[in-house]
Amino acid sequence: MNRRRFILMMSVPAVVILAFISVNLYIVYTGQEILLKVAPVDPRDLFRGDYVAPTYEISAIDLGDVSYDTVFSPGETVYAILSKKEKFWTVDSTHHAKPLLSNDQVCMKGRVTRTYGSLVFVEWGIESYFVPEGEGRGIEDMRDAEISAIVSVDSTGSSVLKELLINDEPIS
């Protein structure tokens, strides 16, 4: 293999990785920060060593409690309008297309994974987080703690998980 071809083959993955990182950094720095409540789950499912897989209260949307345009099917894109209620942001309505927002709202884009009756289960793209090496076990032992997440949401509805909090303190 000649040198030029080798350099080209090695640079393509690097460019893809840099593009992915750049997009996420753009969302982190330009998006609006919101605080989401992490749903109570079995801690053995949440923390896997130094890898965290949070599920959010907004990951299961009851269409009986919020307005929506039409019923959702698995695989469809969902746009959820969220607003701040006391401490956390919650879903006000769901749509198949990006809706107009007021100043006190954000729109998150997700993918419907499944439905059950009036419940719509959604993945938002913020379902994984790495904690500092060696910290996973200590966090796992905090079963009664309130876990929340700081998420940055941009104008297109894309979101990035910035930080996990335990009892309002950042995991460090």
Side-chain angles (χ1 to χ4, degrees), residues 66-87:
V66 301
S67 62
Y68 60 96
D69 52 8
T70 58
V71 177
F72 290 90
S73 299
E76 288 186 312
T77 299
V78 59
Y79 292 89
I81 293 179
L82 286 78
S83 63
K84 188 175 181 180
K85 312 281 191 308
E86 296 179 24
K87 182 176 180 180

Side-chain angles (χ1 to χ4, degrees), residues 23 26-33 79-80 97-101 105-109 152-160:
V23 167
Y26 177 79
I27 295 170
V28 165
Y29 289 112
T30 64
Q32 180 174 347
E33 281 189 5
Y79 292 89
K98 187 175 180 302
L100 296 174
L101 303 172
Q105 297 175 323
V106 296
C107 178
M108 282 183 64
K109 179 173 63 173
S152 187
V153 183
D154 74 0
S155 61
T156 68
S158 297
S159 54
V160 172

Side-chain angles (χ1 to χ4, degrees), residues 129 132 135 139 148 150 163-172:
Y129 188 77
E135 297 291 319
I139 296 167
S148 55
I150 297 173
E163 189 169 36
L164 282 180
L165 306 174
I166 297 179
N167 295 328
D168 297 326
E169 295 294 323
I171 295 175
S172 58

Side-chain angles (χ1 to χ4, degrees), residues 11-156:
S11 63
V12 171
V15 169
V16 170
I17 291 169
L18 283 173
F20 177 76
I21 291 170
S22 297
V23 167
N24 285 335
L25 283 174
Y26 177 79
I27 295 170
V28 165
Y29 289 112
T30 64
Q32 180 174 347
E33 281 189 5
I34 64 172
L35 185 65
L36 296 177
K37 180 149 181 57
V38 174
V41 295
D42 183 345
R44 291 169 295 201
D45 290 337
L46 179 63
F47 298 103
R48 304 215 183 252
D50 297 323
Y51 179 78
V52 181
T55 302
Y56 304 92
E57 285 191 347
I58 66 167
S59 296
I61 302 169
D62 188 345
L63 297 181
D65 294 338
V66 301
S67 62
Y68 60 96
D69 52 8
T70 58
V71 177
F72 290 90
S73 299
E76 288 186 312
T77 299
V78 59
Y79 292 89
I81 293 179
L82 286 78
S83 63
K84 188 175 181 180
K85 312 281 191 308
E86 296 179 24
K87 182 176 180 180
F88 300 106
W89 289 69
T90 60
V91 176
D92 294 331
S93 63
T94 58
H95 309 269
H96 284 83
K98 187 175 180 302
L100 296 174
L101 303 172
S102 67
N103 289 337
D104 59 344
Q105 297 175 323
V106 296
C107 178
M108 282 183 64
K109 179 173 63 173
R111 186 181 56 81
V112 176
T113 57
R114 67 186 195 281
T115 60
Y116 181 76
S118 66
L119 289 177
V120 176
F121 297 92
V122 180
E123 284 185 353
W124 303 103
I126 52 173
E127 286 79 17
S128 63
Y129 188 77
F130 288 95
V131 296
E133 187 174 340
E135 297 291 319
R137 286 284 169 219
I139 296 167
E140 183 176 319
D141 292 336
M142 298 181 180
R143 288 183 170 84
D144 296 326
E146 178 185 80
I147 302 172
S148 55
I150 297 173
V151 175
S152 187
V153 183
D154 74 0
S155 61
T156 68

